[in-house]
Every structure is written in structure tokens, then in C-alpha cells.
Amino acid sequence: MKQYKKFLWAAVTGALLVSSCADEFNTDFEVTKPEDLARYEYLNAYDHLKNYVDRSLYPNFKLGAGTTVAEFLERELVYSTRVANFDEMTAGNAMKYASVVDNTGAMDFSQVVKFVATARDADLSIHGHTLVWHAQQNNTYLNELIADDVIEVDPDEKVEVEDAYEDYSKYTTYPFYDMNDKRPGTTIINEEGQLEIINTEEGLPNWEIQYFVADGVPTKVGGEYKVTARMRGTSDGSLTVMMGDWGASSTAVLNFTTEWKEVEVSLKSIPTESCFVVFQSGLFVGTIQIEWLRVTHLDAPETSWWVNVITNGDAEGDDLSCFFATEEELGGGLKRLLLVRRVLVLMVSDVPFWFNRVIARRKIILRSSL
């Protein structure tokens, strides 16, 4: 008991000493205001920005500012600055398309509704942002809307597709590299606009006289192509057709007569993706004349057309069936579309978003499954 009393007395005495020291602490000193704060102290003399608008002269004038919606909804510095100084706000991104439409096309205006309600409580109006913008689009959803529709057709049904066409009447001189430069006048464009090949020498190997009749023909490796020409010779004859490049080519024999006829030959297993067509006719003695030449191949038919998937997208009619939002109301925010003077208006909690044209198209392609 005596030890306890001594401890209690020591504790009380120590507390009194500390209290006594605190009472005698010197508080007589000065704190200098930071120079940066002092420099801008003159701003305290200014009123809030919106109070400088003469409402008697400009009753409809609204001083506005952009704002980040998430920061405004925190009701801290951004909120107090906008409420104190401005009459109206525009959301930075929250009202843009990508912010309210997800990858499935569902619309979420929950943050917009909160923004509108908070602004109204602070007596601030809102100038709605755009729904049509050069950026910040939800391309995942939009590209899905306009993705090509492929309709399968009979793979056995074929159509002829033209890959190259040469009309020699449009030339005044031979248009390709002349491989017969050692025999001038062998390959010419004659006065009738025909490609003319003249050979008076007998006993030449077939390749000794060869000449381009087309070049740069787009092809697929392994494909089959048909070469058709309207031509004649001074006598019935034949020549070799080469299709490919100088590294590899496919060959076939093309027959012709003394009459103007369309003659053709098929070449299989084309070895390159871009081909020349070369004729070799060194074995033929006489003159060959060619009016035109065409390269074609057979392919499954493909037909495509564009279909507008939005009815009344130009707002010229009264049909709004493609424009009504189907989502539930969020926080009392009404979502609907009106037609006002041929302009579509999206209403979100009575805040208008204006746009005068909505276009979405999808391409329909009719193609073989092969």
C-alpha cells in the first residue's frame, strides 16, 4: 500500500510540472505568409466569374465550362469551381458515343443521369455533347453492324472473269519491250491499229521470233486461265503461247486461220502471281495480225450490294422505329427520340442531343463456298 501511494504522488507531481511548463511556453512569434500565396492574394478582390455578366443586357447569356463528369460527381474542388463560377457545363467525354454504348450496343446512361441530376440540384444547365464524333466510337459494335453478309451459292456455277484486255488500236507503236530488235519491223502496229508480226525467214526455231502480247496480268498460282485473241494469218498456222515469267511459265498451242476469228487456248497450273503473255511464232512464215487479246478465268459468281440497315436515316420521314432506345430507365432518366423539324433529337433526362443524319450500311456478298 505504501509503494502504491508513493507512485501515485509521483505521477500527480509530474503532471503538475508539465502543466506548469506549458503555461509558461512562449507563443510570441510571427509566421511569414509564403511568397507564392501573397503574389496571388489580389485575386480575392474578384467576384465569381458569372457575376460579371450583365443579366439586364444579356438575359440569355450563359457562361459555360467543360468538365470531367466523374470529378464533378465527387462534389469537391471541380464541383465547387463549376457551381461558383459558371451557369452551364458540357461533359468532357461522358456523353460521347463510346462512353454510353458498349460492345453489344447496349446504352448505359447511368453516369449521365447522375450528372444531370447533380447539375440541376446546383442550378446548372447542361449543353449536351455530340453522339457523332470523328473519334471515340465503339468500333467493335459498329463494325459488327456493317459486317459483310456472305450468302453461299452453288460452287459448280462459274462465271468468266476478265483479268486483262489489250486493244492494240489504242497504240501507235508497239507498246512492249521488243525482243525482235535484231529484225526491225517484225512486230509493229499497222495503219489499221492491229498488232502485226512479219516473218519471211524459213527454218527458224519457234522461239527465235517471240513477242509480248500482254504483261502484268494478275493471276493466282496454280490457276487455269484462257487466252482469247481475234486474229488471222496469211495462211493457216499455229503458235506457242507462254504465260508466266522468265523463271517459270505454262505453255499451250494456239491455232489460227486466214479468216478473222476469235481463237482461244487454256493454260493450266500458272506458276506465278503476275504474268506476261508471250507468243512464239518463228516456225510460221508469213504475216500474223491481231486486233485484240483477252485473258480470263472461271470463278464462282460473286454479287454484292449495299443495304441501308437504318430506316429513315436521313430524318426525311416520320418513321422512328430504328431510333427508340429499348433499355430500362436509369435513375429516372428518360430516353427517347423525337423528330423536330426533320432533325433527330435524343433526349436524356430532357437534355437534347441533336443530329441530322444517321447512316449505317452493310454489304451483302454472294460468293461460292469454294
Side-chain angles (χ1 to χ4, degrees):
M1 178 63 73
K2 290 180 180 180
Q3 294 296 329
Y4 176 78
K5 288 181 179 179
K6 288 180 180 180
F7 177 79
L8 180 60
W9 172 249
V12 171
T13 303
L16 290 174
L17 288 173
V18 172
S19 176
S20 176
C21 291
D23 290 342
E24 295 176 3
F25 184 75
N26 182 15
T27 59
D28 187 16
F29 66 92
E30 294 183 358
V31 177
T32 303
K33 181 177 294 186
E35 184 179 347
D36 288 344
L37 291 179
R39 186 183 306 162
Y40 297 107
E41 202 166 43
Y42 72 95
L43 294 175
N44 292 330
Y46 288 97
D47 200 352
H48 298 304
L49 293 179
K50 63 184 179 183
N51 292 338
Y52 287 97
V53 179
D54 189 336
R55 303 296 177 179
S56 62
L57 293 177
Y58 309 104
N60 297 319
F61 181 85
K62 291 185 177 182
L63 184 63
T67 190
T68 301
V69 169
E71 294 179 350
F72 181 80
L73 294 177
E74 292 174 357
R75 294 177 177 264
E76 294 181 356
L77 178 61
V78 172
Y79 173 86
S80 59
T81 302
R82 300 301 187 272
V83 172
N85 290 280
F86 300 99
D87 304 306
E88 189 170 77
M89 291 183 302
T90 296
N93 289 303
M95 288 185 170
K96 289 181 181 176
Y97 178 89
S99 298
V100 297
V101 179
D102 67 15
N103 290 342
T104 66
M107 299 182 186
D108 182 3
F109 291 99
S110 56
Q111 190 178 50
V112 177
V113 171
K114 293 177 184 177
F115 177 51
V116 172
T118 304
R120 282 180 173 169
D121 290 343
D123 199 25
L124 286 172
S125 59
I126 293 177
H127 185 81
H129 217 312
T130 177
L131 284 179
V132 181
W133 193 245
H134 71 282
Q136 293 174 281
Q137 305 295 319
N138 191 323
N139 290 332
T140 299
Y141 173 62
L142 293 177
N143 288 332
E144 182 181 318
L145 283 179
I146 61 174
D148 294 345
D149 282 348
V150 178
I151 302 174
E152 303 298 337
V153 297
D154 183 0
D156 295 328
E157 181 182 358
K158 302 292 184 180
V159 294
E160 190 171 25
V161 179
E162 184 175 277
D163 302 288
Y165 180 78
E166 287 290 353
D167 179 0
Y168 302 107
S169 65
K170 67 181 182 180
Y171 303 114
T172 57
T173 60
Y174 181 64
F176 307 109
Y177 171 70
D178 190 356
M179 292 184 283
N180 301 296
D181 54 348
K182 295 181 179 180
R183 296 182 175 84
T186 300
T187 48
I188 64 171
I189 300 297
N190 64 24
E191 294 181 355
E192 285 74 31
Q194 302 155 356
L195 174 59
E196 188 170 276
I197 301 93
I198 303 171
N199 178 28
T200 59
E201 299 181 52
E202 295 186 2
L204 294 177
N206 207 34
W207 54 264
E208 189 72 20
I209 294 181
Q210 59 183 353
Y211 39 94
F212 292 99
V213 289
D215 198 11
V217 180
T219 54
K220 292 182 179 179
V221 175
E224 180 176 348
Y225 291 82
K226 181 172 70 175
V227 175
T228 305
R230 177 171 167 79
M231 60 185 296
R232 68 178 180 180
T234 49
S235 62
D236 293 350
S238 62
L239 52 79
T240 298
V241 180
M242 294 177 57
M243 193 168 176
D245 58 25
W246 295 120
S249 62
S250 295
T251 61
V253 175
L254 179 66
N255 298 308
F256 54 88
T257 69
T258 58
E259 302 293 330
W260 281 111
K261 289 184 179 180
E262 293 183 15
V263 293
E264 61 186 45
V265 65
S266 294
L267 296 97
K268 299 180 180 180
S269 302
I270 297 300
T272 60
E273 291 185 351
S274 180
C275 293
F276 59 56
V277 180
V278 169
F279 283 1
Q280 296 177 331
S281 58
L283 294 175
F284 180 80
V285 179
T287 299
I288 298 173
Q289 294 173 327
I290 308 172
E291 285 189 343
W292 54 260
L293 178 135
R294 181 172 62 239
V295 180
T296 60
H297 72 278
L298 293 178
D299 202 352
E302 175 176 315
T303 304
S304 64
W305 62 94
W306 288 99
V307 176
N308 191 353
V309 298
I310 293 183
T311 303
N312 193 27
D314 58 4
E316 290 299 324
D318 297 320
D319 188 346
L320 297 177
S321 58
C322 285
F323 298 102
F324 283 96
T326 58
E327 291 74 19
E328 296 180 359
E329 293 183 2
L330 300 172
L334 181 62
K335 300 183 290 294
R336 66 181 186 274
L337 280 164
L338 307 175
L339 192 63
V340 181
R341 295 181 182 178
R342 301 303 182 199
V343 177
L344 289 167
V345 185
L346 174 62
M347 304 295 294
V348 180
S349 293
D350 296 330
V351 177
F353 296 79
W354 302 81
F355 49 101
N356 59 16
R357 182 177 290 268
V358 181
I359 298 175
R361 300 185 305 167
R362 72 191 319 176
K363 190 176 185 180
I364 310 296
I365 297 179
L366 193 64
R367 180 187 299 137
S368 168
S369 59
L370 294 183

